[in-house]
């Protein structure tokens, strides 16, 4: 029997496995890894030492040659200048190298040119001819430094931090002129008093040309290193393939199985030796673990879905489905064991003004607080339920006196709910009205007890609210004031007060193209305005009017959908109450014939609010399927819509409950469940729809699953619209398609 402990019930999570610590397997601990590492290290050290020594020696010899050549070119330059300009003197160092040229007049002034018959260009040409490399005559300016007399470009030494000071003395090294780097020898030109006039610079070549041999050697060295390493890799790879590979791979396979990673097939099963036998044994273990893991995941998912099926997502109280199951169990015990019980229907007074004034967030907090207070009043074997909106019920187990015990509990409920509530800083005061029916005194069926308790609840509201009444024979309701009264619903059908709205169902892998619509009934009440299904569907089921309302819904939906494009489908909800007889099959057949709608475009959605009787329902669903009509299990994951239904009944489609989609962007468990359900659908050939998609993030998570059978519906794609608006949307879609073509 369901008791008050249900509210604290949580999903039973299988006991976690004990994981024993073990050292992580690294490739470099293997024989293959060690051989490869030692071989590579030896090659790198030997080759590195040899190539490094060679490069060092090449660099040393190259620089010595450059310096000698630069000194020789400088000597040639000074010799030619002394032969041309007789008034020029030179100074040499202890090695005989000319380090300074002295002259009283610049070498490029007019008087010097007239006396010698040589202009600077002729002199430089002569030097270049002798040295086979460019030469420059530089003039010194204190602000600009050394400037070429011909190109007016600045020459800068790049081997010294202070490049100007470097050229003021005898210099050998790299210098830049005109964006090019040269290795040069530079001799300063000064007066006898030591004033710097300029410099004569001769080159031995550009840096790139001088470094060509060095770079070629470096490239060859690197090429040889890469070649040797490549040969080493080939050798090591051969060793792995022929000697060492099977053992570490099989160890890794066992480790993966121990970590429950069973996606990879065990290798080396085709080897005709002990390794092959070991691989086959490991593969058997892997297959067994795969089957076990799949069954375990299905069991965990079933447990979570079972909890969600019987509990209200907001208050965590048992929901209407749990209420129906519990009251059926108690009625069964009443007939077999004589165990009596009471049904208390509780309706919050003035809840709607609070919700309208402060918003749904405050309203939800108030419902949660009310649920907590009700739960605190429950006794042994009692059960509190949230039936929907601001309506609650308590199934009270009677020990001795049903009337007295019900009065006592009702008094406590009235007192508890009349005390002020504090929600988000707001102090709120409400009250409650209670209707009581005792079993079997006031009925021995679920429908009778609910109807009689509802009459008593109406009486409490008529007496000014904040009170309780027992059902008594002769109690009646005023149809004009009670929306749940059967005559008013019948009048609504007869007066065409019910209308259909349609919510689009879109594909997730086709640019959100509309696949079809779900027909949703609304009641345009002449007094209360537009009413949603939760205001009248459940009561219609309880008082036996759901077949009449469902018949109207089928005929209307088929008639309107017949005018849509042939690619669009329509889904119609059918209550489990309608599946108890074959009458629904004839209703569907007539609706299709009268409307001319293709059966393949109609889908019948079966809600999970009631448990399906296999013996009675299965033949009916098979007959509907024989008409060519699709069958969809609605609200999968809540109510009685569980995994076994997909196996027992001929459903080709199921819709994931919005309770899972609501938190898919916040809960890893929800994402895992939805992913598992989509994978299950793909494996078993089901179409699947995600209900209640309201945000971009939810849409993207679902779209990333990449399943072509997956569709979605919800406010993110648009709210339910009437038939006129649907026709407009379809015409607009047709125009867009035509324009794209």
């Amino acid at each position: 029997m369901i008791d008050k402990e249900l509210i604290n019930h949580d999903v039973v999570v299988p006991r976690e496995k004990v994981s024993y610590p073990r050292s992580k397997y690294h490739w470099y601990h293997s024989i293959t890894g060690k051989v490869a590492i030692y071989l590579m290290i030896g090659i790198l050290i030997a080759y590195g030492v040899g190539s490094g020594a060679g490069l060092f020696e090449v660099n040393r010899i190259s620089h010595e040659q450059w310096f000698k050549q630069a000194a020789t070119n400088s000597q040639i330059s000074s010799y030619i200048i002394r032969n041309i300009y007789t008034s020029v003197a030179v100074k040499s160092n202890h090695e005989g190298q000319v380090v300074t040229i002295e002259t009283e007049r610049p070498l490029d002034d007019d008087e010097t040119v007239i006396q010698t018959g040589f202009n600077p260009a002729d002199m430089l040409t002569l030097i270049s001819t002798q040295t086979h490399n460019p030469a420059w005559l530089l003039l010194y300016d204190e602000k600009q430094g050394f400037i070429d007399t011909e190109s007016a470009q600045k020459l800068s030494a790049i081997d010294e931090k202070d490049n100007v000071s470097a050229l003021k003395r005898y210099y050998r090294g790299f210098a830049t002129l005109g964006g090019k780097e040269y290795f040069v020898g530079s001799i300063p030109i000064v007066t006898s008093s030591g004033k710097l006039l300029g410099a004569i610079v001769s080159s031995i070549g550009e840096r790139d040309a001088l470094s060509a041999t060095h770079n070629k050697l470096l490239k060859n060295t690197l090429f040889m290193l890469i070649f040797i390493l490549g040969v080493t890799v080939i050798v090591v790879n051969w060793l792995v393939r022929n000697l060492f590979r099977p053992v570490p791979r099989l160890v890794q396979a066992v480790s993966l199985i121990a970590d429950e990673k069973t996606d990879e097939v065990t290798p080396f099963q085709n080897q005709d030796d002990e390794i092959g036998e070991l691989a086959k044994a490991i593969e058997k273990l892997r297959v067994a673990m795969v089957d076990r893991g799949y069954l375990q995941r299905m069991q965990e998912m079933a447990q979570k879905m079972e909890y969600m099926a019987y509990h209200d997502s907001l208050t965590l109280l048992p929901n209407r489905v749990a209420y129906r199951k519990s009251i059926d169990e108690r009625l069964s015990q009443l007939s077999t064991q004589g165990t009596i019980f009471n049904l208390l229907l509780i309706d919050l007074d003035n809840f709607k003004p609070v919700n309208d004034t402060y918003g749904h967030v405050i309203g939800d907090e108030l419902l949660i607080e009310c649920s907590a207070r009700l739960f605190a009043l429950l006794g042994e074997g009692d059960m509190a339920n949230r039936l929907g909106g601001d309506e609650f019920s308590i199934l009270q187990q009677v020990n001795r006196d049903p009337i007295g015990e019900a009065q006592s509990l009702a008094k406590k409920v009235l007192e508890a709910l009349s005390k002020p509530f504090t929600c988000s800083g707001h102090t709120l005061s409400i009250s409650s009205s209670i209707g009581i029916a005792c079993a079997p005194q006031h009925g021995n069926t679920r429908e009778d007890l609910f109807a009689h308790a509802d009459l008593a609840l109406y009486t409490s509201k008529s007496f000014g609210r904040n009170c309780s009444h027992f059902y008594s024979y002769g109690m009646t309701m005023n149809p004009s004031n009670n929306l749940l009264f059967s005559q008013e619903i019948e009048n609504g059908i007869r007066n065409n007060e019910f209308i259909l709205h349609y919510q689009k169902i879109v594909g997730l892998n086709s640019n959100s193209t509309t696949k079809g619509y779900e027909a949703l009934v609304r009641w345009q009440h002449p007094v209360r305005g537009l009413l949603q299904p939760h205001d009248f569907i459940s009561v219609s089921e309880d008082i036996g009017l759901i077949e009449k309302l469902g018949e109207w819904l089928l005929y209307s939906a088929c008639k309107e959908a017949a005018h849509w494009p042939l690619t669009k489908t329509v889904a119609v909800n059918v209550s489990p109450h309608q599946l108890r007889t074959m009458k629904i099959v004839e209703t569907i057949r007539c609706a299709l014939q009268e409307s001319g709608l293709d059966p393949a475009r109609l889908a019948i959605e079966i809600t999970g609010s009631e448990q399906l009787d296999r013996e009675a329902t299965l033949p009916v669903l098979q007959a509907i399927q024989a008409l060519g009509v699709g069958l969809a299990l609605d609200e999968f994951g809540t109510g009685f819509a569980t995994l076994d239904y997909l196996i027992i009944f001929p459903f080709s489609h199921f819709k994931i409950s919005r309770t899972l989609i609501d938190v898919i962007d916040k809960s890893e468990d929800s994402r895992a469940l939805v992913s598992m359900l989509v994978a299950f659908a793909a494996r078993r050939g089901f179409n699947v729809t995600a209900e209640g998609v309201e945000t971009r993030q939810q849409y993207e998570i679902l779209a990333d699953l990449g399943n072509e059978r997956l569709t979605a519906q919800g406010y993110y794609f648009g709210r339910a619209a009437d038939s006129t608006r649907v026709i407009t949307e379809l015409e607009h879609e047709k125009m867009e398609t035509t324009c794209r073509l």
Side-chain angles (χ1 to χ4, degrees):
M1 181 173 65
I2 301 176
D3 57 23
K4 69 174 185 178
E5 292 182 359
L6 267 175
I7 194 170
N8 289 329
H9 173 69
D10 203 348
V11 179
V12 178
V13 180
R15 185 175 60 186
E16 293 185 358
K17 299 177 181 177
V18 179
S19 65
Y20 299 97
R22 64 176 186 272
S23 59
K24 187 176 180 181
Y25 182 79
H26 296 286
W27 67 271
Y28 48 79
H29 288 159
S30 66
I31 298 175
T32 305
K34 291 176 181 178
V35 170
I37 290 173
Y38 294 152
L39 195 57
M40 292 290 187
I41 290 176
I43 291 172
L44 288 175
I45 291 175
Y47 197 85
V49 171
S51 61
L55 288 174
F56 175 79
E57 188 64 18
V58 169
N59 280 334
R60 186 185 65 79
I61 294 173
S62 296
H63 280 79
E64 286 182 358
Q65 290 178 346
W66 295 346
F67 275 91
K68 289 179 180 180
Q69 184 65 38
T72 301
N73 286 359
S74 295
Q75 290 289 74
I76 294 173
S77 299
S78 65
Y79 176 77
I80 292 174
I81 289 174
R82 278 183 293 171
N83 286 337
I84 294 175
Y85 303 100
T86 58
S87 60
V88 169
V90 298
K91 287 185 178 181
S92 303
N93 59 16
H94 66 281
E95 296 177 351
Q97 176 67 49
V98 176
V99 294
T100 304
I101 297 176
E102 293 184 354
T103 180
E104 294 303 323
R105 288 195 301 269
L107 301 182
D108 64 337
D109 66 349
D110 294 339
E111 186 176 349
T112 302
V113 172
I114 293 173
Q115 289 180 354
T116 62
F118 280 85
N119 59 32
D122 296 333
M123 175 196 66
L124 295 174
T125 301
L126 185 58
I127 293 173
S128 298
T129 301
Q130 295 296 321
T131 62
H132 304 289
N133 280 293
W136 301 274
L137 176 63
L138 307 180
L139 295 181
Y140 177 71
D141 183 89
E142 292 184 355
K143 294 183 179 180
Q144 298 183 15
F146 289 91
I147 306 298
D148 181 22
T149 56
E150 293 186 1
S151 64
Q153 292 182 337
K154 183 178 178 180
L155 180 73
S156 300
I158 61 177
D159 286 349
E160 299 283 346
K161 294 183 179 179
D162 188 352
N163 50 43
V164 175
S165 298
L167 296 176
K168 288 180 180 180
R169 61 184 184 275
Y170 176 60
Y171 171 76
R172 287 178 297 174
F174 282 103
T176 178
L177 178 68
K180 297 182 178 180
E181 293 184 11
Y182 302 88
F183 196 94
V184 302
S186 173
I187 304 175
I189 301 174
V190 299
T191 65
S192 58
S193 61
K195 181 181 178 181
L196 184 63
L197 298 178
I200 185 70
V201 179
S202 60
S203 168
I204 68 169
E206 294 185 25
R207 179 189 287 271
D208 293 341
L210 294 174
S211 301
T213 302
H214 174 269
N215 293 338
K216 183 177 181 181
L217 177 60
L218 181 61
K219 289 179 181 179
N220 290 338
T221 302
L222 292 176
F223 174 78
M224 288 301 299
L225 177 61
I226 293 172
F227 174 75
I228 293 173
L229 290 178
V231 172
T232 305
V233 169
I234 294 173
V235 171
V236 171
N237 186 58
W238 183 87
L239 290 174
V240 170
R241 287 183 176 275
N242 293 276
L243 300 176
F244 307 127
R245 185 175 62 166
V247 174
R249 288 286 303 278
L250 292 179
V251 171
Q252 183 186 27
V254 175
S255 299
L256 290 174
I257 293 173
D259 293 333
E260 298 185 355
K261 298 176 181 178
T262 55
D263 296 335
E264 296 185 10
V265 177
T266 307
F268 307 111
Q269 296 184 61
N270 57 347
Q271 288 194 201
D272 189 18
D273 54 17
E274 291 82 357
I275 292 293
E277 294 298 322
L278 177 60
K280 292 173 184 177
I282 295 174
E283 177 64 12
K284 289 181 181 179
L285 176 62
R286 186 192 71 86
V287 172
M289 289 293 292
V290 169
D291 294 339
R292 177 188 172 188
Y294 182 75
L295 292 175
Q296 183 178 353
R297 289 194 299 272
M298 289 296 103
Q299 183 181 11
E300 290 174 357
M301 183 171 66
Q303 289 172 342
K304 291 182 180 181
M305 293 176 64
E306 182 180 8
Y307 177 79
M308 296 169 62
Y310 289 102
H311 289 78
D312 176 57
S313 59
L314 176 64
T315 65
L316 300 184
L317 285 176
N319 57 16
R320 181 182 288 271
V321 177
Y323 153 77
R324 291 176 175 175
K325 181 178 180 181
S326 181
I327 198 171
D328 288 343
E329 290 176 351
R330 291 170 190 260
L331 288 170
S332 176
Q333 292 176 359
L334 175 64
S335 62
T336 58
Q337 303 174 18
T339 306
I340 60 177
F341 64 94
N342 296 324
L343 169 61
L344 285 74
L345 288 186
I346 305 165
D347 193 77
L348 303 183
D349 301 328
N350 301 318
F351 174 75
K352 189 175 185 302
V354 171
N355 215 28
D356 293 342
T357 302
Y358 296 100
H360 292 289
V361 175
I362 302 298
D364 288 347
E365 288 187 37
L366 181 58
L367 290 173
I368 294 171
E369 289 295 327
C370 290
S371 302
R373 294 187 184 184
L374 288 176
F375 179 72
L377 300 175
L378 299 180
E380 183 71 24
D382 295 348
M383 177 181 177
N385 306 83
R386 184 189 178 202
L387 301 181
D390 59 350
E391 187 177 4
F392 297 84
S393 71
I394 294 179
L395 291 172
Q396 182 189 29
Q397 181 174 303
V398 176
N399 295 319
R400 294 184 179 179
D401 178 16
I403 302 298
E405 293 176 20
Q407 285 178 334
S408 176
L409 179 57
K411 182 179 179 181
K412 293 177 182 179
V413 171
L414 293 173
E415 291 177 356
L417 298 182
S418 63
K419 295 178 181 179
F421 293 84
T422 301
C423 301
S424 296
H426 300 282
T427 301
L428 309 173
S429 295
I430 61 171
S431 60
S432 60
S433 300
I434 303 175
I436 307 171
C438 304
Q441 181 178 346
H442 299 145
N444 54 14
T445 67
R446 186 211 312 160
E447 291 79 7
D448 288 344
L449 285 172
F450 184 89
H452 293 160
D454 194 43
L455 285 171
L457 174 62
Y458 172 73
T459 302
S460 296
K461 288 186 173 292
S462 300
F463 273 77
R465 305 183 180 186
N466 197 27
C467 60
S468 64
H469 282 81
F470 285 87
Y471 169 76
S472 62
Y473 293 100
M475 276 187 175
T476 58
M477 292 185 184
N478 186 343
S480 62
N481 291 329
N482 195 316
L483 300 181
L484 308 181
F485 190 65
S486 62
Q487 187 59 50
E488 192 166 5
I489 295 177
E490 288 184 306
N491 290 340
I493 298 173
R494 184 169 55 254
N495 297 332
N496 293 322
E497 294 172 3
F498 290 94
I499 58 175
L500 287 180
H501 283 188
Y502 296 92
Q503 186 173 48
K504 64 173 64 176
I505 301 172
V506 302
L508 295 178
N509 291 323
S510 55
N511 299 322
S512 298
T513 303
T514 303
K515 299 293 186 181
Y517 293 85
E518 179 183 358
L520 304 172
V521 64
R522 303 287 188 265
W523 187 359
Q524 189 63 58
H525 194 275
V527 177
R528 304 288 182 175
L530 188 66
L531 300 181
Q532 301 297 318
H534 63 261
D535 292 320
F536 54 86
I537 290 294
S538 295
V539 179
S540 299
E541 292 176 339
D542 290 333
I543 62 179
L545 283 177
I546 192 64
E547 289 188 2
K548 185 175 292 187
L549 183 59
E551 183 177 341
W552 173 88
L553 174 59
L554 268 168
Y555 274 88
S556 300
C558 291
K559 181 179 179 181
E560 293 181 354
H563 298 288
W564 300 348
L566 299 179
T567 58
K568 307 303 178 185
T569 62
V570 62
V572 179
N573 286 281
V574 171
S575 169
H577 290 263
Q578 299 173 258
L579 302 175
R580 294 173 180 172
T581 67
M582 285 290 181
K583 183 179 179 181
I584 183 65
V585 181
E586 186 61 27
T587 300
I588 295 173
R589 181 185 291 108
C590 292
L592 291 171
Q593 289 178 349
E594 289 189 14
S595 64
L597 183 69
D598 183 355
R601 294 176 56 201
L602 175 64
I604 299 298
E605 292 189 6
I606 314 300
T607 62
S609 59
E610 286 278 351
Q611 187 170 8
L612 299 180
D613 184 343
R614 179 173 182 176
E615 292 185 2
T617 305
L618 183 57
V620 177
L621 293 180
Q622 290 173 338
I624 295 175
Q625 184 187 43
L627 296 176
V629 174
L631 291 173
L633 180 59
D634 195 14
E635 298 176 357
F636 184 69
T638 62
F640 294 93
T642 53
L643 284 171
D644 57 340
Y645 274 23
L646 299 178
I647 301 173
I648 297 172
F649 300 104
F651 292 111
S652 59
H653 190 164
F654 65 87
K655 305 178 76 173
I656 302 175
S657 170
R658 67 175 302 142
T659 55
L660 280 176
I661 306 302
D662 279 342
V663 294
I664 194 173
D665 53 344
K666 305 178 186 69
S667 168
E668 282 289 341
D669 287 343
S670 178
R671 282 197 292 275
L673 277 173
V674 172
S675 178
M676 192 181 301
L677 288 173
V678 173
F680 173 80
R683 180 180 297 183
R684 299 298 181 184
F686 286 98
N687 292 320
V688 58
T689 300
E691 296 185 292
V693 179
E694 296 187 358
T695 67
R696 177 72 182 180
Q697 190 173 3
Q698 293 171 353
Y699 166 77
E700 290 175 348
I701 291 172
L702 293 168
D704 287 342
L705 295 177
N707 190 298
E708 294 188 0
R709 289 181 175 270
L710 178 61
T711 56
Q713 65 182 106
Y715 289 163
Y716 177 73
F717 308 103
R719 293 181 177 271
D722 58 25
S723 179
T724 303
R725 184 173 174 182
V726 170
I727 293 296
T728 303
E729 288 180 356
L730 292 174
E731 290 178 351
H732 182 67
E733 180 181 298
K734 182 179 179 181
M735 292 177 60
E736 288 184 343
T737 303
T738 304
C739 292
R740 285 196 296 267
L741 295 177

